[in-house]
Amino acid sequence: MFDVYLTDVQKKVQFEDYPGEHPVKFILDFKKIFPSVMELMLPVLPEDEDLNEMTWESTTEDFELFKLLLKGWGVIELRLNAIAQFKNRNYADQLIKTAQKKRKDFASVQHQLSTVELDYLFMHEVHALIDAELVEIGEKFYLPTLRALWKSHVSANILNAKF
């Protein structure tokens, strides 16, 4: 569990819906997947610099985006496990690498995109690649669900990865 101070409503909330034991380690690892995490959740070191007592600051909207990214990654992991069973683990890992490259390509060509938008596009690409693989076994497409979850957080062009 870790504490988040929501600056816009001046309220402290406790968040415990994350994997792992240590929240600082979790956040640092999670930002490797979604770089926007460090924009959405700002660390606040206590005076004694004890990382066990670290808190985080965010706005309500940014905290909701953080939770959306966390849920989104959970779905990706479940679907990657299905791909690993259907094909193999290396194949599943390669899908992530392909999506990461596409994210970098978007960032280099579309300079106006925010980090959150790039993180969404990364998820979009992962799900598009997984959808293409799992359609062979009759799995439903996930992209419509992803778009429905994010439609109030990113523009229509970003939502559909069309520029």
Side-chain angles (χ1 to χ4, degrees), residues 131 140-150:
D131 282 354
K140 290 183 182 177
F141 289 115
Y142 186 78
L143 281 178
T145 303
L146 180 70
R147 290 179 183 130
L149 291 170
W150 280 82

Side-chain angles (χ1 to χ4, degrees), residues 22-80:
H22 201 277
V24 175
K25 183 179 182 325
F26 159 71
I27 296 278
L28 292 176
D29 288 343
F30 198 51
K31 83 170 184 74
K32 292 175 186 173
I33 300 167
F34 297 116
S36 67
V37 165
M38 292 313 283
E39 296 170 16
L40 301 172
M41 302 286 291
L42 302 173
V44 179
L45 269 172
E47 287 184 25
D48 63 4
E49 297 185 16
D50 180 2
L51 292 181
N52 292 323
E53 300 299 318
M54 182 181 282
T55 59
W56 304 87
E57 282 187 356
S58 187
T59 63
T60 304
E61 182 179 344
D62 286 352
F63 188 52
E64 291 305 313
L65 284 171
F66 167 77
K67 292 190 297 187
L68 202 53
L69 288 170
L70 185 58
K71 289 176 187 173
W73 185 250
V75 171
I76 287 171
E77 284 186 329
L78 287 172
R79 298 186 85 213
L80 285 174

